[in-house]
Amino acid sequence: GAGDAADLRLREAAAPVLHELQVRTGSVVHLGVLDGYDVVHVDKLGGALAERVPTRVGTRVAADRVALGLAALAGTSPDDASVDLAVELHRVRRTGGLVRSGDYAAGLTSVAATVRGGAAVGMVLPEQVSGARYLPLVLDAAERIRRELA
């Protein structure tokens, strides 16, 4: 679960990538890991929206309710997913990431990508900004973290 040695290694590998993503985009950046059916936010770097995004390190959210959680779920076995969720997870597995509106609050867009089984990186933007435009940056961040962990 969140806080074990593997998560600490993940946080250490992800730290420079998350920092660069936050500085480059000015967005709120998260690193999340699954703990049961929840995604736990194990890191958060603030941006201009930091006060509007109701998360902090340790915040737990049902994984199927936010892009970060769906991206983390996409890295795990699809055995327990409902049909609707299985379709969405298949789409995330195929593309490596996703964009969703309204996850944390109205007016916000989330972009997330799978790092590895049960872990994901994400960012939160104002909804008037195209999340699709930022998806390649988040996919690249996830890949860079995976390489660092290899």
Side-chain angles (χ1 to χ4, degrees):
D4 66 17
D7 293 340
L8 295 176
R9 184 167 178 266
L10 173 64
R11 284 185 73 192
E12 182 177 279
V17 177
L18 297 177
H19 176 75
E20 181 182 318
L21 185 61
Q22 195 284 317
V23 168
R24 185 172 181 187
T25 65
S27 67
V28 173
V29 177
H30 291 120
L31 181 66
V33 297
L34 290 179
D35 184 24
Y37 293 105
D38 293 338
V39 63
V40 178
H41 295 72
V42 295
D43 215 340
K44 176 183 181 177
L45 283 73
L49 294 174
E51 295 295 320
R52 288 189 53 208
V53 180
T55 59
R56 58 180 166 65
V57 172
T59 297
R60 301 172 75 85
V61 179
D64 62 347
R65 308 276 322 244
V66 294
L68 187 69
L70 289 169
L73 282 169
T76 65
S77 172
D79 296 340
D80 295 331
S82 68
V83 173
D84 290 339
L85 185 56
V87 169
E88 189 162 12
L89 294 178
H90 176 71
R91 196 173 310 128
V92 175
R93 287 183 188 104
R94 197 174 64 243
T95 62
L98 71 155
V99 176
R100 286 175 41 123
S101 295
D103 280 353
Y104 293 102
L108 300 177
T109 296
S110 299
V111 182
T114 305
V115 171
R116 64 175 188 192
V121 61
M123 60 191 294
V124 182
L125 310 156
E127 74 178 352
Q128 64 268 26
V129 176
S130 169
R133 177 176 146 209
Y134 287 92
L135 182 57
L137 292 176
V138 177
L139 291 169
D140 179 64
E143 175 60 30
R144 290 174 54 208
I145 296 167
R146 276 193 297 278
R147 281 195 312 260
E148 185 64 30
L149 290 167

